[in-house]
Amino acid sequence: MVTFLPSRAGRLADVPSFARGIGGAESNVACGLARAGHSARWISRVGADGFGEHLVREIAATGVDTRYVQRDPHRPTGIYFRTAGERAVGSEPAGPEGAAGPDGSDGPDASDRRDASDGPDGPDGAAEPLAEVLYYRAGSAAAAMSPALVPREWAWSGRVLHLTGITPALSADCRALMRELTTRAPGRPLVSFDLNYRFSLWRNADAGRSGNGEGDGCADDGRADADTGAEPGPAVLLGLARGCDLVFVGEDEAEAVWGVRGPEAIRAALPEPELLVVKQGSAGATAYARRPDGTDAVTFEPALRVDVVAPVGAGDAFAAGFLSGTLRGLPIAERLRHGHLMAAAVLTVPGDLGTPPSRERADHLVALDAAEWGTLRFGPGWTDLPSPAEKWAETAAVEVPDP
């Protein structure tokens, strides 16, 4: 969706102006992968309006293939406004009911602060105020995504398909699409799923299924989501996660949506995925990788220390970094570290997207021993610093005289 970020701190009522940007969980991951040197495609729907044009253009500028993004002449592109600050898991500032954003995004998510950040209290231990978020996404183009509009052939054409738990909250059609894409069948690629729990979206979706008319889903003919009697949000999310190969879930998300606490308990609730990554806030992340004998190899990597500018998008960046390592066939520990580095790149900029470090520099940092990794601290602009090879070239240029 199109995001509007405040020009200064304060309440929405007091912020004088906003800077336009782009956001959305799946598109953020696609942009991160493209900027890391991979081929990435974004499949979604936007309105046939100026915001949709801006969104598609900016995402394509990062190197993402946007040929399968559909323009809807009848529904708008979703937008949202936000203030600076954190947002608690399990409750959200109230916004317009019945909203949904492009590519299933609900804007900044609870997992955005978890990896490489100093946690919800900020880098210096001072409590950060909760952000205000105002959504305009009712009847958006993305809420009309369905198996009929998004053929399986499109989504299964790559090596990895990345999905999130935001999309199924948008409508019955979106839930049907998610079930279609996560069905195990010949030809299915590795399916990655980030829980990305949104309390307000599922509250509205569950209300709509109870028949009180407050649901935010929109069927293809524009009528309200009539998914009455369907599974509640936590059951939907659990079923989808169990059908995927790689699952990302925040420790606090799992407790909020399923009442499950701690990495081992989360793994017990999700035994099916071959690989489960539990994000543990400022502590780091733990990965459970299924061995051939059915047991798990457990790997923990601590998060980095970061001077946080804004927490928006860091969870998506972590997923992009981990998926980049997965596509490269790297060991699990290195994938986790690449996730932390990508998250640090986003945490040190104001918007949803940051410029990741070069692959050479990222690989150099990932190869540090545990003690050296623990001494790292990143602030704004750190990805613009020269790589080790560039530093050597500059030194050589100075020290080697002309013949």
Side-chain angles (χ1 to χ4, degrees):
M1 68 171 70
V2 175
T3 68
F4 288 88
L5 303 176
S7 58
R8 63 174 176 82
R11 301 183 309 142
L12 280 175
D14 302 326
V15 175
S17 60
F18 296 81
R20 183 179 66 175
I22 62 173
E26 292 89 342
S27 59
N28 285 346
V29 173
C31 290
L33 285 169
R35 286 178 167 177
H38 300 279
S39 297
R41 172 180 297 163
W42 180 50
I43 301 173
S44 189
R45 306 183 83 249
V46 300
D49 51 35
F51 285 138
E53 178 183 348
H54 168 74
L55 187 64
V56 174
R57 182 177 66 241
E58 292 301 306
I59 291 173
T62 68
V64 174
D65 179 358
T66 59
R67 288 176 295 172
Y68 291 91
V69 177
Q70 302 169 6
R71 275 73 166 181
D72 190 323
H74 306 296
R75 297 176 178 83
T77 302
I79 64 174
Y80 79 89
F81 294 78
R82 68 163 281 129
T83 61
E86 292 286 354
R87 184 173 65 186
V89 178
S91 63
E92 300 181 18
E97 297 293 333
D103 73 67
S105 173
D106 187 36
D109 58 81
S111 63
D112 286 344
R113 68 173 179 269
R114 295 189 183 107
D115 298 286
S117 76
D118 285 306
D121 291 335
D124 300 314
E128 261 191 281
L130 294 181
E132 289 180 78
V133 184
L134 188 61
Y135 306 101
Y136 294 91
R137 58 185 192 262
S140 72
M145 289 189 295
S146 69
L149 293 176
V150 182
R152 179 190 284 183
E153 292 74 23
W154 293 4
W156 283 14
S157 60
R159 292 171 57 193
V160 174
L161 171 63
H162 181 70
L163 305 168
T164 80
I166 302 168
T167 304
L170 301 182
S171 68
D173 281 344
C174 286
R175 285 187 284 281
L177 173 63
M178 290 289 289
R179 291 187 176 106
E180 169 80 7
L181 297 180
T182 56
T183 297
R184 298 188 184 277
R188 193 184 89 161
L190 184 149
V191 177
S192 166
F193 180 79
D194 195 335
L195 181 61
N196 270 340
Y197 178 58
R198 297 291 190 277
F199 173 79
S200 64
L201 275 180
W202 283 107
R203 176 190 61 203
N204 296 336
D206 289 341
R209 282 193 293 276
S210 70
N212 66 8
E214 296 181 0
D216 69 345
C218 183
D220 202 30
D221 60 1
R223 294 175 297 179
D225 180 355
D227 200 16
T228 304
E231 292 180 302
V236 171
L237 291 169
L238 187 61
L240 291 172
R242 286 175 170 173
C244 296
D245 305 300
L246 165 59
V247 173
F248 299 94
V249 57
E251 196 170 28
D252 50 355
E253 285 181 308
E255 184 171 1
V257 69
W258 298 316
V260 176
R261 180 179 299 179
E264 292 186 5
I266 295 171
R267 182 50 161 169
L270 288 171
E272 294 85 358
E274 291 293 319
L275 186 54
L276 172 68
V277 179
V278 179
K279 296 177 286 184
Q280 299 168 262
S282 59
T286 300
Y288 293 84
R290 183 69 42 74
R291 296 189 183 100
D293 64 1
T295 61
D296 280 328
V298 183
T299 307
F300 172 80
E301 281 294 330
L304 296 161
R305 293 181 297 166
V306 178
D307 298 325
V308 178
V309 173
V312 184
D316 302 327
F318 178 87
F322 191 93
L323 288 172
S324 174
T326 299
L327 289 166
R328 295 173 61 193
L330 300 181
I332 299 296
E334 294 184 19
R335 300 183 203 182
L336 291 169
R337 285 192 171 188
H338 276 285
H340 289 317
L341 287 169
M342 290 276 274
V346 170
L347 286 165
T348 50
V349 298
D352 283 40
L353 299 175
T355 301
S358 68
R359 180 172 293 186
E360 178 192 21
R361 186 169 188 217
D363 286 346
H364 171 76
L365 293 171
V366 164
L368 297 175
D369 62 31
E372 293 172 317
W373 177 263
T375 65
L376 295 176
R377 182 166 190 143
F378 296 112
W382 73 272
T383 60
D384 297 327
L385 298 174
S387 68
E390 290 170 332
K391 286 184 177 180
W392 180 88
E394 291 172 0
T395 303
V398 171
E399 294 181 351
V400 178
D402 291 331

